[in-house]
Amino acid sequence: MTAPAAEPIEHDVLGFLESAVNESPVEAMKPAAAPDTEIETPARQLVIINWSGEFDRVMPTLIMANAAAAMGYQTKVFTTFWGLLPFVKDQKRIVGENWMQKMLAFMQRPGISHLKTSKMNFFGMGPWMMGVLSRKYSIASPKELLEAAEALGVEFMPCQMTMDMFGLKREDMIDGLGAPVGAATVLELMTQPNTASLFI
Amino acid sequence: MTAPAAEPIEHDVLGFLESAVNESPVEAMKPAAAPDTEIETPARQLVIINWSGEFDRVMPTLIMANAAAAMGYQTKVFTTFWGLLPFVKDQKRIVGENWMQKMLAFMQRPGISHLKTSKMNFFGMGPWMMGVLSRKYSIASPKELLEAAEALGVEFMPCQMTMDMFGLKREDMIDGLGAPVGAATVLELMTQPNTASLFI
Amino acid sequence: MTAPAAEPIEHDVLGFLESAVNESPVEAMKPAAAPDTEIETPARQLVIINWSGEFDRVMPTLIMANAAAAMGYQTKVFTTFWGLLPFVKDQKRIVGENWMQKMLAFMQRPGISHLKTSKMNFFGMGPWMMGVLSRKYSIASPKELLEAAEALGVEFMPCQMTMDMFGLKREDMIDGLGAPVGAATVLELMTQPNTASLFI
């Protein structure tokens, strides 16, 4: 069905894949996040790939993560692509090392308190209205939910490749964030028994 | 990796989380939707978190749900956020209790027959063209698929928090919708064996 | 909770569902992609429903698929809806049989080298900037990743219904694509043990 090895793969792609996997294939079963410990099968586990940085998608990520952690599930959130920007410190305005990265960060203002909605943003009116409605119905804000999740032991794992692409450094990020990991760690976690994985 | 209990969580966040989980952590293993019955492990199960209210995402939700139910899988669809609006009765135009909720509902016209596409909507031309192409290739409409899913026993579970936020009442919703549930019910279902969970 | 068989389902919906499932319910356990072989339980498996055709969503699909295949996982990508268009040959400009399909294809230029970003596309400037940043940090292009995935044995399965709706023919598609399948095949794969399923 596929064309196995029709052409030799170029070397830089292989090198890229190796860094994406972040371990050699043989080593891959021991994820980078916990290289020295045996991975035990969790009773129940939730793994979320938090790809989006928008208010209306970060909210379900944080609500599900909090609920799972409160129920005693092992809970991991892999923050990647646009989904890494909410985990930049709120007070950071411009991040990145070159003008392209600075421009991307400028247009997608990072930080958990600066989320936009995916539709009806209207220069911030959408998030404001949702904030008002949320408070009215006692729904916590993204910032409160993030703090609760950290306190409940939810593990937030930033994507190494995304940090490189946006030129983000460790000191740009919030304190609660774990060490950067690659795809292998996430794949290993997602395929364990009693585990639900969501791409949000 | 995370900062466990660096600061005490404020009480309103805890209260919110409790309502999000919708059960106390100890009770959480018995989901709200079926409090009196033992949850038996299903042979095969599909759980969809239907977050989006757009034509091109509601269609895969309904097609997968119908196919799974037809194959004898236990099939549950948790309708949350924008994804709850298609399950408002078609004839309802303005729903909600205050002007903000009314405005949100007005701009995102609810009902299964009023879906917009996520791109190329062009004031309804996108959905119209897709409707024409669908009929040409005998693809059922969202409304037909919803009715088929109900008849096949797909369980649609509305998100309590979303109903509050949009100010939706039981009588606003279609008849086939089940009782509102919280995140704990969905997490419990998603982490069962032989279960596929999708966030759409 | 649902209304079982309140009204008889119309016959064309049933016919549609049958073609969606693509097999009779009894036969459904043997997926169309491998009708003659027994499905053995894979050690670890990744199943991605690639619904989106945008640069920033096709990238995680291809990166995860490559990483999983490199780790020895059985890896399947079901390409559906907008997510089928990147698998049209790059040199094809207009595909489809009638003016609606041609117009859809014209506006969503197909081919792996013509992806747009979901936000900040700016007439191609977003993808260009991401391409520059990707090269700077040795991240492979979508085209390179697709070729690597094929060589690593990732199985790409096009959605039959989408091919019909867009009027796509086998000769429009890249060589590495497998035979079109229906929802039953994907559901059967997704609910196997040690399997992670993602809707991207």
Side-chain angles (χ1 to χ4, degrees), chain A residues 1-2 51 82 101 188 191, chain C residues 44 56-57 137-138 154 176 178:
Chain A
M1 209 140 311
T2 54
W51 171 88
W82 309 113
Q101 292 169 335
E188 160 71 14
T191 49
Chain C
R44 297 269 182 150
D56 38 352
R57 284 186 176 260
Y137 296 101
S138 313
V154 174

Side-chain angles (χ1 to χ4, degrees), chain C residues 69-194:
Chain C
M71 287 164 77
Y73 290 22
Q74 191 169 308
T75 311
K76 317 264 188 181
V77 179
F78 180 63
T79 60
T80 185
F81 230 93
W82 309 113
L84 186 57
L85 294 176
F87 298 88
V88 169
K89 282 177 187 148
D90 261 341
Q91 60 270 33
K92 293 271 173 185
R93 186 68 187 88
I94 308 285
V95 287
E97 289 166 340
N98 55 49
W99 71 265
M100 276 189 195
Q101 292 169 335
K102 286 182 169 58
M103 189 173 138
L104 280 171
F106 180 78
M107 302 201 60
Q108 295 295 317
R109 182 166 183 182
I112 193 73
S113 302
H114 309 127
L115 306 178
K116 297 175 188 178
T117 47
S118 69
K119 55 175 90 176
M120 303 200 295
N121 189 65
F122 300 139
F123 301 97
M125 201 174 141
W128 172 77
M129 276 174 50
M130 285 195 191
V132 172
L133 290 175
S134 295
R135 274 189 297 280
K136 189 173 155 65
Y137 296 101
S138 313
I139 301 173
S141 73
K143 190 171 163 41
E144 289 168 323
L145 285 170
L146 177 55
E147 285 163 4
E150 285 172 3
L152 284 166
V154 174
E155 200 173 324
F156 293 93
M157 311 181 295
C159 167
Q160 179 65 66
M161 203 188 302
T162 306
M163 294 200 57
D164 290 346
M165 204 183 71
F166 284 128
L168 293 169
K169 289 180 290 293
R170 188 62 196 85
E171 62 263 29
D172 295 328
M173 313 307 292
I174 59 167
D175 294 333
L177 216 59
V181 300
T185 301
V186 184
L187 286 164
E188 160 70 15
L189 290 169
M190 289 196 306
T191 49
Q192 289 179 332
N194 308 320

Side-chain angles (χ1 to χ4, degrees), chain A residues 52-54 81-86 88 92-95 101-111 114-117 166, chain C residues 56 118-122 130:
Chain A
S52 169
E54 286 157 343
F81 229 92
W82 309 113
L84 186 57
L85 294 175
V88 169
K92 293 271 174 186
R93 186 70 187 86
I94 308 285
V95 287
Q101 292 169 335
K102 285 180 170 56
M103 189 172 138
L104 280 171
F106 179 78
M107 302 201 59
Q108 294 296 317
R109 181 166 184 182
H114 309 128
L115 306 178
K116 298 175 188 177
T117 47
F166 284 128
Chain C
D56 38 352
S118 69
K119 55 175 90 176
M120 303 200 295
N121 189 65
F122 300 139
M130 285 195 191

Side-chain angles (χ1 to χ4, degrees), chain A:
Chain A
M1 209 140 311
T2 54
E7 300 159 12
I9 311 174
E10 288 166 43
H11 270 85
D12 60 333
V13 178
L14 272 187
F16 161 71
L17 280 180
E18 211 165 298
S19 72
V21 170
N22 218 12
E23 294 106 342
S24 72
V26 183
E27 286 280 283
M29 291 301 130
K30 302 182 215 133
D36 300 329
T37 55
E38 199 66 22
I39 289 217
E40 77 281 19
T41 299
R44 297 269 182 150
Q45 185 176 235
L46 174 67
V47 181
I48 295 178
I49 300 183
N50 185 62
W51 171 88
S52 169
E54 286 157 343
F55 182 94
D56 39 352
R57 284 185 175 260
V58 171
M59 282 296 280
T61 291
L62 291 175
I63 291 171
M64 302 282 284
N66 270 296
M71 288 164 76
Y73 290 22
Q74 193 168 309
T75 310
K76 317 263 188 180
V77 179
F78 180 64
T79 60
T80 185
F81 229 92
W82 309 113
L84 186 57
L85 294 175
F87 298 89
V88 169
K89 284 178 187 146
D90 261 341
Q91 60 271 32
K92 293 271 174 186
R93 186 70 187 86
I94 308 285
V95 287
E97 289 166 339
N98 55 49
W99 70 265
M100 275 188 195
Q101 292 169 335
K102 285 180 170 56
M103 189 172 138
L104 280 171
F106 179 78
M107 302 201 59
Q108 294 296 317
R109 181 166 184 182
I112 193 74
S113 302
H114 309 128
L115 306 178
K116 298 175 188 177
T117 47
S118 70
K119 57 176 89 176
M120 303 200 296
N121 190 66
F122 301 139
F123 301 96
M125 200 171 140
W128 172 76
M129 276 173 50
M130 285 195 191
V132 172
L133 290 175
S134 295
R135 274 189 296 280
K136 189 173 155 67
Y137 295 100
S138 312
I139 300 173
S141 72
K143 190 171 163 41
E144 289 168 322
L145 285 170
L146 177 54
E147 286 163 3
E150 285 173 3
L152 285 166
V154 174
E155 200 174 324
F156 293 93
M157 310 181 296
C159 167
Q160 179 66 64
M161 204 187 301
T162 306
M163 293 199 60
D164 291 346
M165 204 184 72
F166 284 128
L168 292 169
K169 289 180 290 292
R170 188 64 195 84
E171 62 263 30
D172 296 326
M173 313 308 291
I174 59 167
D175 293 333
L177 215 59
V181 300
T185 302
V186 184
L187 286 164
E188 160 71 14
L189 290 169
M190 289 196 306
T191 49
Q192 290 180 331
N194 308 320
T195 297
S197 334
L198 301 174
F199 184 97
I200 299 189

